[in-house]
């Protein structure tokens, strides 16, 4: 199947009324374009789909529209990805990441808000079936909405729902014109169709539907998976942790798989760790990567023989097992401490904590689990001997690193419980 046609035709359908709840969209489309053919793609603005389905909120008398909007965004949000001022980029219940949960107040009466369709793929399937029943044609349906793009200025329409269309044209395994195998190319056909349709739709002039002709090779008899196939799974999303998510997502993970950890990933985390603040512009950190099995065994023996927890913790043996079995083991150390007066040593200790926190957060960004365990803090001399460290290196625990066996939920604590105002 060819992924590119030599000719496309795209036109908008005018003459639509202001859609109301319960309106028959298929009837309006059939009346506006009775000449639809097999293989055409009908691109419908999500707003009219939502209006017809009653996905509209009304601010009652005396009710603040801004409050209604804030409440609606919260109700449609699974997580906040980023925030700047009043603008929120969120992940919606449908899985999309966009501004304000896709809630719109343009081209709708004052005091009303239009939500995204509850299940856009289901809406596309229903509309497709109704058009076939009315006109006897096999068309594809794309429901589109306007999204911003990371690192790009401006907005474009993308597909939020689809039926009867190859939404992704996977080129992986094919060859380019020079015979090289394509390994990552996947063409988002549904999004390209949505953008093409947006060029001829007029949001302010009652043109909410477009027809794209010339893509019959991508129109299928079956409804297909819909736009769900375009939503990147969380485990493949390099940017799924928004700036607001990273710190709450940092959890102590003691249950790790035995899968090896890429050394370059660890180095990136250490690079983040050593950006921590320290007094007088110092860099009082060293991180010991315990790579050889011999060094790991010496360290574990030192902990078993010399770790004396002044609090009498009953988790000592379990903690040693975590360190023994972790695929990667780091021992953070403070340096330059012995030359300082006592009060400045305490500042250095704080700097060590800041560096380890940076390390743990950076590992979380890399989708790795970690556990900072006191361990070497309670037997510094034995640790220095086991790892052949200089006398001036003071270990501050050990960090177990690996792939988490399970994902822990983000930590949620009320700041009011920890805030004193004077």
């Amino acid at each position: 199947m060819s992924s590119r046609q030599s000719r496309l035709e795209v036109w908008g359908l005018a003459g639509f009324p202001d859609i109301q709840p319960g309106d028959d969209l298929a009837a309006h489309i059939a009346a506006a374009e009775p000449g639809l053919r097999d293989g055409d793609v009908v691109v419908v603005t999500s707003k009219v789909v939502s209006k017809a389905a009653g996905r509209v909120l009304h601010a009652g008398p005396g009710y603040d529209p801004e409050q209604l909007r804030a409440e609606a965004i919260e109700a449609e949000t699974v997580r906040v990805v980023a925030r700047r001022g009043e603008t929120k980029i969120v992940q919606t219940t449908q899985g999309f990441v966009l501004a304000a949960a896709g809630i719109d107040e343009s081209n709708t009466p004052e005091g009303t808000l239009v939500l995204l369709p509850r299940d856009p793929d289901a809406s596309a399937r229903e509309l497709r079936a109704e058009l076939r029943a009315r006109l006897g044609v096999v068309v594809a349906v794309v429901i589109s909405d306007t999204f911003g793009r990371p690192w790009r200025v401006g907005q474009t329409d993308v597909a939020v729902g689809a039926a009867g269309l190859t939404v992704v044209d996977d080129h992986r395994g094919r060859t380019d014109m020079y015979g090289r195998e394509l390994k990552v190319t996947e063409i988002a056909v549904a999004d390209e169709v949505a953008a093409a349709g947006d060029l001829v739709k007029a949001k302010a002039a009652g043109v909410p539907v477009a027809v794209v002709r010339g893509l019959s090779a991508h129109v299928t008899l079956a409804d297909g998976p819909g736009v769900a196939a375009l939503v990147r799974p969380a485990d493949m999303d390099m940017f799924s942790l928004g700036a607001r998510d990273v710190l709450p997502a940092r959890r102590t993970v003691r249950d790790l798989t035995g899968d090896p950890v890429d050394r370059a990933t660890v180095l990136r985390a250490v690079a983040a760790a050593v950006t921590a603040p320290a007094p007088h512009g110092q860099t009082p950190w060293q991180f010991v990567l315990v790579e050889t099995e011999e060094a790991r065994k010496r360290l574990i023996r030192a902990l078993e023989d010399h770790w004396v927890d002044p609090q009498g913790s009953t988790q000592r043996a379990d903690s040693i097992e975590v360190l023994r079995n972790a695929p990667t083991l780091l021992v953070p150390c403070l340096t330059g401490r012995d030359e300082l007066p006592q009060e400045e040593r305490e500042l250095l200790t704080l700097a060590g904590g800041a560096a380890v926190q940076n390390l743990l957060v950076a590992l979380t960004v890399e989708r790795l689990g970690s556990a900072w365990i006191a361990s070497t803090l309670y037997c510094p001399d034995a640790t220095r001997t086991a790892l052949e460290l200089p006398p001036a290196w003071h270990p501050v625990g050990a960090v177990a690193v690996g792939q988490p066996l399970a994902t822990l939920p983000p930590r949620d604590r009320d700041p009011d419980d920890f805030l004193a105002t004077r």
Side-chain angles (χ1 to χ4, degrees):
M1 179 179 69
S2 173
S3 64
R4 288 286 184 266
Q5 307 298 313
S6 59
R7 178 184 177 90
L8 289 180
E9 297 178 75
V10 186
W11 66 95
L13 305 185
F16 279 75
D18 186 10
I19 299 298
Q20 301 298 317
D23 278 0
D24 189 337
L25 279 181
H28 288 300
I29 294 170
E33 183 50 273
L36 284 175
R37 303 177 187 172
D38 289 345
D40 286 346
V41 184
V42 179
V43 185
V44 186
T45 301
S46 66
K47 183 172 293 180
V48 297
V49 176
S50 293
K51 284 184 171 182
R55 291 275 286 166
V56 181
L57 300 179
H58 302 265
Y63 200 89
D64 181 5
E66 287 303 312
Q67 179 65 22
L68 177 67
R69 187 172 186 272
E71 292 174 355
I73 292 172
E74 183 175 355
E76 295 291 305
T77 295
V78 173
R79 67 184 179 95
V80 177
V81 176
R83 185 200 312 261
R84 177 171 292 176
E86 296 299 318
T87 300
K88 286 183 180 178
I89 306 298
V90 306
Q91 181 180 13
T92 69
T93 54
Q94 297 91 344
F96 307 131
V97 176
L98 73 168
I103 293 170
D104 202 347
E105 53 192 330
S106 63
N107 296 317
T108 188
E110 190 70 27
T112 63
L113 299 172
V114 182
L115 312 180
L116 284 177
R118 193 178 304 279
D119 185 342
D121 283 332
S123 297
R125 292 192 294 268
E126 181 180 349
L127 186 55
R128 184 190 194 215
E130 290 171 353
L131 288 172
R132 185 170 188 176
R134 286 181 176 277
L135 300 176
V137 292
V138 177
V139 299
V141 171
V142 169
I143 297 174
S144 67
D145 198 81
T146 303
F147 280 36
R149 289 88 39 80
W151 309 294
R152 303 283 285 187
V153 173
Q155 295 80 37
T156 185
D157 265 26
V158 303
V160 296
L165 186 74
T166 303
V167 296
V168 179
D169 189 6
D170 192 348
H171 288 221
R172 292 174 298 177
R174 305 181 197 177
T175 56
D176 66 11
M177 62 185 294
Y178 295 100
R180 290 188 293 263
E181 182 181 352
L182 299 172
K183 297 182 179 180
V184 296
T185 304
E186 297 176 271
I187 306 301
V189 175
D191 284 344
E192 292 185 330
V193 170
D198 188 47
L199 292 174
V200 298
K201 289 188 289 180
K203 293 179 173 62
V207 185
V209 179
V211 177
V212 180
R213 180 167 290 168
L215 288 175
S216 59
H218 287 298
V219 176
T220 61
L221 288 175
D223 286 333
V227 168
L230 280 171
V231 178
R232 191 184 299 276
D235 60 352
M236 295 177 62
D237 188 352
M238 294 176 66
F239 308 100
S240 60
L241 277 179
R244 187 177 182 273
D245 300 322
V246 175
L247 293 176
R250 203 271 337 138
R251 300 291 305 275
T252 295
V253 180
R254 297 169 68 91
D255 296 322
L256 305 168
T257 73
D259 298 332
V261 174
D262 179 38
R263 193 175 193 273
T265 303
V266 177
L267 293 181
R268 286 195 297 271
V270 172
V274 298
T275 65
H280 311 305
Q282 299 178 73
T283 54
W285 315 286
Q286 291 288 336
F287 287 83
V288 182
L289 179 58
V290 184
E291 283 193 308
T292 68
E293 190 59 32
E294 180 184 353
R296 182 187 292 258
K297 287 179 178 178
R298 290 200 308 268
L299 177 61
I300 297 301
R301 280 198 300 270
L303 295 178
E304 289 173 332
D305 295 342
H306 300 283
W307 178 355
V308 178
D309 188 340
Q311 298 178 359
S313 171
T314 59
Q315 295 185 341
R316 174 179 169 276
D318 292 340
S319 294
I320 289 175
E321 282 304 300
V322 172
L323 298 175
R324 188 197 311 274
N325 297 322
T328 295
L329 196 57
L330 283 164
V331 177
C333 298
L334 283 172
T335 62
R337 182 172 175 269
D338 297 338
E339 296 82 16
L340 297 174
Q342 183 60 40
E343 60 273 14
E344 296 216 4
R345 292 184 187 183
E346 294 181 5
L347 284 175
L348 224 58
T349 300
L350 296 176
V356 174
Q357 171 75 347
N358 278 9
L359 176 80
L360 303 180
V361 170
L363 291 169
T364 301
V365 171
E366 300 278 1
R367 294 295 186 183
L368 291 171
S370 61
W372 184 18
I373 296 173
S375 58
T376 66
L377 192 64
Y378 295 128
C379 51
D381 292 336
T383 299
R384 282 189 285 268
T385 299
L387 298 179
E388 301 176 345
L389 306 180
W393 288 23
H394 294 268
V396 287
V399 179
V401 182
Q403 300 288 344
L405 276 173
T407 301
L408 299 177
R411 196 182 298 281
D412 185 16
R413 288 174 176 163
D414 187 344
D416 287 337
D417 295 338
F418 306 91
L419 182 65
T421 303
R422 298 291 187 268

